[in-house]
Amino acid sequence: MGIYVQTSYRSLNKKGEELCGDKVRIVRRGGTMIAVLADGLGSGVKANILATLTSQILSTMIYEGASVREAVETIAKTLPVCSVRKLAYSTFSVLEISENGDGYLAEFDNPFCFYLRNGEQQEFRPEYNEYSGRGVYETHFKAEPGDIITLVSDGVIWAGVGDNMNFGWTWDSVLQWLQNAAALELPAPQLTVALSDAVNDLYHHRPGDDSTVLVAEVMAEKPVSLLAGPPENKAMDAQMVRDFMASEGRKAVCGGTSANIVARELGRQITTSLDYIDKDVPPIGHIQGIDLCTEGVLTLNKALEILGRLIDRPPDDAAIERLERKDGAALLARLMYEDCTRLKMFIGSAINPAHSDPAIQSELSMKLHLLDKLSAAMEKMGKHVEKIYY
């Protein structure tokens, strides 16, 4: 069993700037996660360009197997040093964690990372190396499930300067905040939003500098099995349910027909919730031994909308609030986003010959399309997906 790294980030633009001078880029190579946080010199368009180029070069070269030394030397030859202030084009942090827990951290002039294990900051002994005149601190470590790694740009540790506090937050202030938050066991997206909101509050919502928070949460593998759609051949009902129940991890069933098949083959009853938490999402059902039982097409579509607000852009308060609701779509999205690292899908055929009604055939076809979209969303997050058709 390997590990999975859940990532989330959020940036605040310096007041008056349309573009952020910080840039985060996250790429995945097999079971390895690579995250880069670059902070461009200054602010606005110039800083954004510098940070974007730095993050792109670093992430792409490391993804292709280059060392940080090779990547930094490439950046040094590509991007200039400020002729006035003699400062580097962009500071950066690079975090790489493989599925077996091998971790690597490279830091150049960004605040040192916060690495919490059981609520305590881990003490690293980084090696200092100079590459093309850039002093880089490099650390190798072994990540464990439950570890929370937070990278920030310097706007975070200066929040409140000359306003709420004479000298602003310090690195130790952020560490204390994170240690207090650790007791709440917030998932990565909620922790990211909470810390970013705290920084914004200290700036009175007029940030004096670009401020970025990047959180990486190390998770043990969490398998989930999902059954949706009736088999093309009714004779396969029993086999599909047997395979589904024999699979690992938590279990979800999507669709009324699917739920009836599962209940019948298991000899159990379906009870339906009478609570319409969201008028646009049908209520959930309950079957003994099944962790989540939802309606099909409408719920899948809404769940994908929720996931899209989390994986296609940095989360905001509204996206987190939607994820935390109790309707079927939110419960399914949260199961996929927070509690699943490997998804095994048991999928009935798109068109069942037993259904001659074109409307039913259309719904079954739409469900297969939505399941493909769900599979793509999970893979985009770096999660393994296996699909079995019946």
Side-chain angles (χ1 to χ4, degrees), residues 305-318:
E305 288 179 9
I306 296 170
L307 289 172
R309 295 173 64 180
L310 294 165
I311 63 178
D312 291 334
R313 57 183 184 268
D316 55 24
D317 295 307

Side-chain angles (χ1 to χ4, degrees), residues 44-94:
V45 175
K46 177 183 176 182
N48 178 269
I49 292 172
L50 294 173
T52 298
L53 288 171
T54 299
S55 62
Q56 289 276 7
I57 292 171
L58 282 167
S59 60
T60 301
M61 291 190 67
I62 293 171
Y63 177 89
E64 296 294 340
S67 67
V68 165
R69 175 175 190 152
E70 292 171 319
V72 171
E73 289 175 346
T74 299
I75 291 171
K77 294 174 183 176
T78 305
L79 301 179
V81 171
C82 175
S83 60
V84 177
R85 288 185 277 176
K86 305 300 181 184
L87 297 174
Y89 41 84
S90 176
T91 62
F92 63 80
S93 301
V94 178

